[in-house]
Each structure stands twice: as C-alpha cells, then as structure tokens.
Amino acid sequence: MTIHKIKSSTRSNTVAKPLVSRDCGPAGCEVDWLTSKRLETQDDIGAFTDFSLEQGWGDGLPLIPPTDARVRSFLSENDRYPDEVIAKMPDSSECTVEKIVINAVMAGAPPESLELIIAAIEAISEPDFELYGVNATTAPVFPGFVVNGPVRDALKIPYSYGCAGGVATKANAIGRAIRLIMRNVAGQVAGVTSQTTFGSPGRLASILMGEWEEKSPWAPLAERRAGVTGNAVTAFSTMGTMNVLDTTSTGAMAFLEMIGKSVSYAGANCYSPSMEYSEMTIGINPICAEIIAREVPDIEDVQEIIWKSAAVSADWLQSLHRGQLDAQGRVREDGRIYATPEPKDMVLFVCGGLGGLHALGLHSFGSSLSQTKAIATAVPADEVQAAE
C-alpha cells in the first residue's frame, strides 16, 4: 500500500529580520519612489468606490481613495522601500510594498499592520501554498490566517469570542487588504481567472484570527510548526467554517472522536480522487482544550486521535469513486479513507470564546499546504548606527 505523504515546505524563511527606518515622510523624497500610475478621481469614498468598480479594482464595499498623501503617510510610519519586491504572484507579476500599501489604504487597514500583511503575502506566495490553484479552482477556497505573538493584542486580532468573524476590529480591514491584493495584484476575479462555482463570504475579508496562547495547554502553533517564537502568521487554505458542537461528551476521547467524525464527510476535497493529499485545520476552544489536555497532554497524541476518527468507510462510496481512491493507495488496510495522509497533517490551534464546548473545522483546498512566517520587527535607525 502506498501512502502519499504531505511534504514540508522546502523554504524555511521564518526568521523575522530587523528593519531599519528609511522613509522620507508624508511629503515624499527628492526622488519619487512611487511608480504606480496616477489617475484623476474624486476624493470621495462613494464616488471612488463607484470608480473602482468601473476600473475592476473594487470588491463591492466602500474603498478609501489611495491618494499620494495617504500612501506616503502609510509608508512613513513603516520601514520599507516602496519598490521592494515582496513576492511573485501566480502570473509572475511582482507584488511590491507600494502595491501592498495602496490596497491596504483602500481597505482601511492601519499602517502598523504592514508587516503582518507582508508576512501573510510571503506565506501564500510560497510554492507549496499553491496560490495559483487557490486562485483558479472551482472550489470556494480562500487563505485563512492564524496569528501568534504579542502582535495579536497590538493589532486587536480576535482570538476569543467571535474570532472567526463578526468582531468589530480593524482585523477585518487587514484581512480585506490581503483579499484586495489577491484581486488586484494576484488577479483573482470570479468567472475570469477564478472558476469558483459558489465563492465564499471569506473572499471579501478572509479569516484573520489569533491563537489564544494564554489559554492553550500546548505550545503556540507557529512554534510547533516552524520553530518560530513571538510574532508570526500561519496561512492555510480553507473552504469556510464548520462548527462542531458537543454538549454531551465528558472526556477527552469522546470530544476528539466527535471532532474527527464531524470534519470528515465524503464530499470534502480531502476525499476527492483529484487531490492526493490534504490538510485539515481545526480550532479547539479553550474549555475543550483544557479538558482534552488533562487526559491527553501531548499535542501529537491529540492529532493522532482526531486523525483516526477523521475517516470514512470506502463502502460508503460508489464503486467508481472508491476505485479511483484505491488506485491511489488511499484505501487503507482497515477499509477506510483518511482525511489526511498522517496525523501531523491535522493542524490544531486554540481559539474561541468560553461559552460552550465547540470546535472549528476549516477544510483545506487539498493541494495547498499551510505556511508559517515570522513577522518582521522594525529597529530604529539610530539603534542600528549605535550598534555599528
């Protein structure tokens, strides 16, 4: 029997580099670093929103006009040259800091969120994230993000009640900025470059949440996955959210079995013959995590228990579907088809409110593998000069 293992990313650029302040202030420099084409339009949100839709930049929600002054002001509060190339997009276009800032301004994201946005773009641009497939597929998939470290509180990234959507913080604008970059730089347009059948509300502002590290009995997600401590972001692909409610179980094994069986259903991408492998991202709320950890303190054991329950019987499937999966070696000796190749591919983190026993299922696109990136920290220029 062949077991298809999910490979790890071949790139390990997860160390947060120090940045040196090198801006010229809102008034700009003697040499104009901004290279984007200038267009004349009204500095009015309503008028600009209509104009953006005519030009193909908008997402249907109100946009802030990215005037020279606003873009320069945003840059002046950060430590990046606007022409710095952050990533190559699926069509080989270059995503520069300037393009990121323009979209961040339009979305209403705060200037202090730039390094988080940059780390998120770096993560989804890794080859193993397979952004081209995420952009083009018929599925409703979009990138989701889990943030670790003190930056969660600094940017008010929700990780408690309502963390997957509905909390009134600028995390919504930050997620929307990333989505606008995917539209305007990476070129994801439904019915044109994207064949998504239904789409998803997540394609407006994504899912940007934190891990409630202080309530977790395990090490933070970024540390477990990539050895990154402190500020970091993990990008994963998801079809949307699935709630798992269990008010009946009283012990760890019962909770984990319920989670595994709930996220496992035959129509998920992870059971498609077109996908040889998959990941599954699962958020466990703090109350449930505490109960689980008392009986199962090792996170790897938790992953394995969920993994064993996250399987469907091959007999459930019609013969053609079952035959294709069997030909790939995905029907195991016990006659079951597992959601992911190995227990490690169950990506677990702690989040959510304290009002009940819930888990959050975030189904993968399939061929997109989660990526973790450290979030860079700025170092004042005078401190660097003093060190030299």
Side-chain angles (χ1 to χ4, degrees):
M1 178 179 68
T2 302
I3 297 178
H4 296 266
K5 295 185 176 181
I6 295 182
K7 63 179 180 177
S8 300
S9 174
T10 55
R11 300 187 180 187
S12 58
N13 180 26
T14 57
V15 178
K17 62 181 180 181
L19 304 173
V20 180
S21 180
R22 49 195 178 188
D23 63 79
C24 301
C29 309
E30 291 184 11
V31 176
D32 185 6
W33 287 99
L34 300 182
T35 60
S36 296
K37 181 180 178 181
R38 268 72 160 187
L39 295 173
E40 290 292 330
T41 184
Q42 298 180 56
D43 189 13
D44 171 81
I45 290 178
F48 178 74
T49 299
D50 291 340
F51 180 69
S52 72
L53 291 172
E54 293 171 4
Q55 298 294 318
W57 307 328
D59 58 6
L61 296 178
L63 292 173
I64 297 172
T67 62
D68 264 21
R70 290 189 179 106
V71 171
R72 293 186 192 281
S73 179
F74 194 111
L75 283 164
S76 73
E77 295 185 43
N78 286 282
D79 306 283
R80 298 271 189 174
Y81 284 130
D83 63 348
E84 181 181 354
V85 177
I86 297 302
K88 291 273 191 175
M89 295 288 98
D91 62 354
S92 296
S93 62
E94 294 182 340
C95 183
T96 63
V97 169
E98 180 178 348
K99 291 176 180 178
I100 290 172
V101 170
I102 289 171
N103 284 279
V105 168
M106 288 196 295
E112 57 269 25
S113 68
L114 179 60
E115 290 306 325
L116 169 55
I117 297 173
I118 286 175
I121 296 300
E122 288 176 334
I124 65 174
S125 299
E126 284 287 349
D128 285 345
F129 192 83
E130 225 267 282
L131 184 58
Y132 175 83
V134 171
N135 267 5
T137 181
T138 57
V141 64
F142 58 93
F145 304 93
V146 176
V147 179
N148 286 111
V151 71
R152 295 168 302 150
D153 293 318
L155 293 176
K156 294 182 172 57
I157 307 295
Y159 49 80
S160 178
Y161 296 93
C163 57
V167 179
T169 79
K170 287 194 175 181
N172 298 311
I174 298 169
R176 187 185 178 205
I178 297 169
R179 289 300 312 164
L180 284 175
I181 292 164
M182 289 188 66
R183 168 183 290 274
N184 296 327
V185 185
Q188 186 185 65
V189 180
V192 183
T193 58
S194 169
Q195 298 303 307
T196 183
T197 305
F198 299 115
S200 166
R203 289 196 169 200
L204 274 174
S206 189
I207 294 177
L208 178 68
M209 69 181 90
E211 179 171 24
W212 200 342
E213 300 173 12
E214 296 79 7
K215 292 285 188 181
S216 175
W218 306 295
L221 177 64
E223 184 177 334
R224 287 187 278 115
R225 287 191 59 79
V228 180
T229 57
N231 293 333
V233 61
T234 297
F236 57 94
S237 72
T238 181
M239 305 292 192
T241 62
M242 167 191 277
N243 187 66
V244 180
L245 171 65
D246 186 357
T247 59
T248 303
S249 297
T250 58
M253 300 303 292
F255 280 126
L256 296 175
E257 179 181 341
M258 178 64 79
I259 292 170
K261 287 182 175 179
S262 297
V263 299
S264 177
Y265 65 94
N269 265 39
C270 54
Y271 297 113
S272 169
S274 65
M275 297 294 174
E276 289 191 74
Y277 53 80
S278 185
E279 288 181 334
M280 188 78 73
T281 304
I282 297 174
I284 301 175
N285 96 314
I287 296 175
C288 197
E290 182 181 354
I291 293 171
I292 291 168
R294 289 195 203 115
E295 293 182 48
V296 190
D298 194 319
I299 189 68
E300 286 80 10
D301 292 336
V302 176
Q303 290 172 296
E304 183 172 2
I305 294 167
I306 293 178
W307 179 79
K308 286 180 177 178
S309 295
V312 299
S313 170
D315 293 337
W316 286 7
L317 306 177
Q318 295 182 0
S319 58
L320 180 60
H321 194 121
R322 183 173 64 247
Q324 290 177 340
L325 292 171
D326 194 24
Q328 293 177 345
R330 295 190 57 196
V331 179
R332 303 293 177 95
E333 293 177 358
D334 59 4
R336 304 171 78 203
I337 303 162
Y338 288 77
T340 68
E342 299 177 84
K344 70 174 181 59
D345 307 316
M346 291 287 175
V347 181
L348 309 181
F349 68 105
V350 175
C351 64
L354 307 176
L357 296 168
H358 292 265
L360 174 68
L362 298 155
H363 287 84
S364 169
F365 165 54
S367 61
S368 177
L369 302 181
S370 58
Q371 304 291 318
T372 298
K373 292 289 180 180
I375 299 170
T377 302
V379 176
D382 55 353
E383 290 186 15
V384 175
Q385 292 169 356
E388 293 176 349

